[in-house]
Amino acid sequence: MNSIQNPLRLGLLGAGVVASGVVKVLERNQAEIRRRAGRGIEVARVGARNLAKARAALGDGLAITDDLDAVVTDPKVDIVVELIGGTTRARELVLKAIASGKHVVTANKALLAVHGTEIFAAASDKGVMVAFEAAVAGGIPIIKALREGLTANRIQWIAGIINGTTNFILSEMRAKGLDFGTVLKEAQRLGYAEADPTFDIEGVDAAHKATIMSAIAFGIPMQFDKAYVEGITKLQAADINYAEQLGYRIKLLGVTKRRDDVAGGGIELRVHPTLVPAKRLIANVEGAMNAVVVNGDAVGSTLYYGKGAGSEPTASAVVADLVDVTRLHTADPDHRVPHLAFQPDALDNAPVLSIEDVVTSFYLRLRVADQTGVLARITGILAEHDISIDAVLQREAGDDETQTDLIILTHETREGRMNEALSKMQALPTVLAPIVRIRKEELN
Amino acid sequence: MNSIQNPLRLGLLGAGVVASGVVKVLERNQAEIRRRAGRGIEVARVGARNLAKARAALGDGLAITDDLDAVVTDPKVDIVVELIGGTTRARELVLKAIASGKHVVTANKALLAVHGTEIFAAASDKGVMVAFEAAVAGGIPIIKALREGLTANRIQWIAGIINGTTNFILSEMRAKGLDFGTVLKEAQRLGYAEADPTFDIEGVDAAHKATIMSAIAFGIPMQFDKAYVEGITKLQAADINYAEQLGYRIKLLGVTKRRDDVAGGGIELRVHPTLVPAKRLIANVEGAMNAVVVNGDAVGSTLYYGKGAGSEPTASAVVADLVDVTRLHTADPDHRVPHLAFQPDALDNAPVLSIEDVVTSFYLRLRVADQTGVLARITGILAEHDISIDAVLQREAGDDETQTDLIILTHETREGRMNEALSKMQALPTVLAPIVRIRKEELN
């Protein structure tokens, strides 16, 4: 059999932005891809709910049906590419494709973060591959780096800017000194934020991606329900400004970390606004770009940067998965790259820790009465809780002001302990407004 | 056969810094690696010229011989890891290992850049793998990104800081305003530069790595002999300073670029000091760190950053290759990832262009007489050669000075054309010293 004369046949589910990117890239770069893969890749059939829209998006040359089930069971389809999104219908179709013996490529982070364990178990049973490079950080090959490039390492932590919408908003807030609401409207106008931006600005999208990275970095099951998720909607321009004065930038990071100091081991999995030293490369990632830092015990910190969304950047990851499947489907299934980087029988059961047990340093902003003794009271409370101070910035009150901002950077502490200290500080009569608390990571 | 009970057996050639890193990482992370690879990896035999030194470096527990040929033909060895360096003995041993049906992992960039075509042909004939992640940018999985992560793309260009020694020297020159010679001595004292630093500071090491990236990005044979190579030894502190004032940093870049505007196609392959806009992430890569930017037509620019050298970072890449081989050796050889990313019968014969045909923008520094009309004469010569000017910086001459520095940034032009213009400018009586010319890349 001359494999070059037998192209790999896709069943494509979806006809949106990414699907049209996949069709375009496969068409435009077909010669290049065939030179690499050793055989062609062609779209055999497309399943989309709205036929008219699908034809408008993908062109007339393709066989399009609105019977999505027929695509995933079609004997003329070798691989199913799932790009419809969501977690209900997508789950059914992916499981049905696997049951029909098809390999699956998906860009659906929500599906994997929530139903990944079930899907990978089904795929292992049937000896098929489920590839998902496009599910995290768009065109950046971060899944491949984690799962294959860094296999020598005991991975210590990952910290990533993995949502372009929020990074665009934070970049604009800093550059222009504007408030969250104003920049969100601008982002919506420019197409960087959706009409309903909840999943992005509340950190849910980033948490899906952090969950997936956590699983393949540490060899644990997907545990999205255990992730701590905090978005950027409450972030104020004043804090971005104070952070800057102290040499930091505020980024929405997805963080996952191995905690060897916890008895029996533990994993941190969290998304929240984070102060990062301005001199770190990741602090200088601006606009809608994504970047992920991975720290391994042998290699140290490596960083991966690029476009985390968009039609062709995401298609780049989908097509790379297709080429991988083309190359590797002849390997003994027991010797292929495991879905979650670790062999299915070698997963770890280290628990995801509650946010109370997470250890970070902190940025605190307190609105305080401009009186002597205030700083002593507050630092006294931190000392009582064994929380040591890294830096203090007290804005000088104007002549006619009776209150001022007090900024404190702390060293690392357990979040539960910080919460106790915060509630004592908040109760002081000289603390005049709710205390702002933002986590800080040195990432060194 | 329970594969987990049959570890993969290495024959390790070399007992230096990287070899000891490989032994340490395999030992320390053996559980982690086995969980990923599905089987253990053990050092079955070590070949090293100096037995006493090898025992001191690697410990007493290993079977060490000074008969390197016996290691590569040993039936108890599954994979040969070549870490002796050099191009003569290493070539013999690698070819002998391949002839004996062993897979090979190597960190030897010089060997591949010079003899890669011969070695990969031999490996294809025997159906064995030759993996070389450690040969470029140490622990950064850039080979995997190029060969597998970005397969959907027609790659347009690559630009990398791929030599830590020179990046350390340039970072120090900029930070401290010191001259090359002074910083080189400091780098040697700190261990960032070797006693004989020629290969690093003259750009040869970077050119080996750029050659390898060029081959896998564009599907061309290795052509180190066609690379243009210029080091950093002539770089002056004044130019780093002027570049800074104009918003640029000077980095030693390895650049390879596809030139579709040349009839029949052409590839640029070059290493030289380069002005890069200070706002680009790669311009902010400091010290001995490495970073590579890859531009593909679908994904846009992606960047990969990390430690480019050192014992465990390099070992990280070697061991990742070992895990890859462990995973993939059961695949049909025709379906494995091709050595050079493209199928051996699908290589391109686009020629590597001579430096005269390379297109870049330029930074020029002219020491000129402080007289009226000088700027007009010089810009007139550029205009005659159709070279347009992007920016001019003229240092104001002091009251008692009769000469001054004139800095010109140009737009893109063919280097041959710039050479003609330069020789006319150099001949002007008002140009008082050899003109400094540094290439500039916008990398957008």
Side-chain angles (χ1 to χ4, degrees), chain B residues 232-375:
Chain B
I232 63 166
T233 54
K234 288 175 195 135
L235 210 59
Q236 296 173 49
D239 296 305
I240 292 177
N241 189 18
Y242 283 128
E244 191 84 8
Q245 290 178 46
L246 290 159
Y248 290 84
R249 301 265 165 86
I250 299 181
K251 294 289 183 188
L252 183 71
L253 293 187
V255 177
T256 185
K257 194 175 280 193
R258 182 197 295 279
R259 282 280 299 286
D260 290 325
D261 62 320
V262 172
I267 303 291
E268 295 183 1
L269 176 54
R270 49 195 166 91
V271 172
H272 50 71
T274 316
L275 271 77
V276 180
K279 67 186 170 193
R280 299 268 178 271
L281 225 46
I282 194 171
N284 294 282
V285 170
E286 301 290 353
M289 301 303 284
N290 279 201
V292 179
V293 181
V294 182
N295 185 278
D297 67 341
V299 76
S301 286
T302 53
L303 175 142
Y304 308 82
Y305 164 89
K307 286 183 183 148
S311 173
E312 292 209 1
T314 310
S316 171
V318 169
V319 173
D321 276 346
L322 291 172
V323 175
D324 259 8
V325 172
T326 309
R327 284 168 167 173
L328 304 180
H329 72 286
T330 62
D332 169 3
D334 286 344
H335 280 86
R336 286 182 199 143
V337 181
H339 296 116
L340 291 177
F342 292 81
Q343 302 291 327
D345 59 359
L347 293 192
D348 196 351
N349 59 6
V352 172
L353 302 172
S354 91
I355 189 68
E356 293 273 309
D357 289 323
V358 160
V359 171
T360 66
S361 51
F362 286 90
Y363 161 101
L364 306 177
R365 174 164 60 90
L366 300 91
R367 188 74 184 158
V368 293
D370 187 27
Q371 297 173 6
T372 51
V374 171
L375 183 59

Side-chain angles (χ1 to χ4, degrees), chain A residues 39-280:
Chain A
R39 60 194 283 199
I41 300 177
E42 64 175 36
V43 180
R45 206 163 171 195
V46 179
R49 281 163 236 184
N50 185 322
L51 291 178
K53 265 196 193 166
R55 286 200 190 96
L58 306 180
D60 285 332
L62 297 168
I64 305 181
T65 172
D66 57 6
D67 182 355
L68 277 64
D69 292 89
V71 174
V72 301
T73 55
D74 188 331
K76 290 191 302 294
V77 163
D78 304 308
I79 308 187
V80 170
V81 178
E82 184 277 302
L83 300 172
I84 60 172
T87 56
T88 307
R89 192 72 179 109
R91 172 179 161 276
E92 287 169 17
L93 289 164
V94 163
L95 289 173
K96 199 165 187 174
I98 291 168
S100 306
K102 318 286 191 202
H103 302 293
V104 173
V105 173
T106 177
N108 191 331
K109 47 231 152 207
L111 177 68
L112 296 179
V114 177
H115 300 297
T117 302
E118 177 187 19
I119 289 169
F120 294 126
S124 293
D125 280 353
K126 290 291 287 189
V128 297
M129 289 179 263
V130 176
F132 52 93
E133 183 62 77
V136 181
I140 307 171
I142 182 66
I143 298 296
K144 186 168 278 285
L146 283 171
R147 200 172 47 189
E148 305 170 36
L150 302 175
T151 43
N153 292 268
R154 193 166 154 87
I155 292 173
Q156 310 289 349
W157 53 261
I158 299 173
I161 295 172
I162 45 182
N163 180 273
T165 302
T166 45
N167 201 55
F168 175 83
I169 291 173
L170 294 177
S171 299
E172 290 289 296
M173 285 176 73
R174 183 176 81 85
K176 302 182 178 165
L178 295 172
D179 266 314
F180 173 76
T182 312
V183 177
L184 174 59
K185 284 200 195 91
E186 184 200 352
Q188 286 173 317
R189 193 177 54 78
L190 293 170
Y192 287 119
E194 298 189 41
D196 178 359
T198 313
F199 262 39
D200 292 316
I201 64 180
E202 296 295 358
V204 177
D205 174 75
H208 286 144
K209 295 166 183 166
T211 298
I212 295 172
M213 291 198 289
S214 178
I216 56 180
F218 303 123
I220 58 173
M222 299 278 183
Q223 293 167 77
F224 171 68
D225 56 326
K226 306 279 178 54
Y228 172 81
V229 189
E230 180 184 321
I232 63 167
T233 55
K234 288 173 196 137
L235 209 59
Q236 296 174 49
D239 296 305
I240 293 177
N241 189 17
Y242 284 128
E244 190 84 8
Q245 291 177 48
L246 290 159
Y248 291 84
R249 302 266 166 85
I250 299 181
K251 295 290 183 187
L252 183 71
L253 293 188
V255 177
T256 186
K257 195 177 279 193
R258 182 198 295 278
R259 283 278 300 284
D260 290 326
D261 61 320
V262 173
I267 303 291
E268 296 184 1
L269 174 56
R270 49 194 165 91
V271 171
H272 50 72
T274 316
L275 271 77
V276 180
K279 66 187 170 193
R280 299 268 178 271

Side-chain angles (χ1 to χ4, degrees), chain B residues 151-169:
Chain B
T151 43
N153 293 268
R154 192 168 155 87
I155 291 173
Q156 309 290 347
W157 53 262
I158 299 173
I161 295 172
I162 44 181
N163 180 274
T165 303
T166 45
N167 201 55
F168 175 83
I169 292 173

Side-chain angles (χ1 to χ4, degrees), chain B residues 21-93:
Chain B
V22 169
V23 170
K24 256 186 237 162
V25 168
L26 284 176
E27 169 73 23
R28 186 178 71 231
N29 290 346
Q30 56 180 306
E32 199 85 354
I33 291 166
R34 183 179 303 206
R35 285 176 62 208
R36 290 193 174 105
R39 60 194 284 198
I41 300 177
E42 66 175 36
V43 180
R45 206 163 172 196
V46 178
R49 281 164 238 183
N50 185 322
L51 291 178
K53 266 197 193 166
R55 285 199 192 97
L58 306 180
D60 284 332
L62 297 169
I64 305 181
T65 171
D66 58 4
D67 182 355
L68 278 64
D69 292 89
V71 174
V72 302
T73 55
D74 189 330
K76 290 190 302 296
V77 163
D78 304 309
I79 307 187
V80 169
V81 178
E82 184 277 302
L83 300 171
I84 59 171
T87 55
T88 306
R89 191 75 177 108
R91 172 178 161 276
E92 287 170 15
L93 289 163

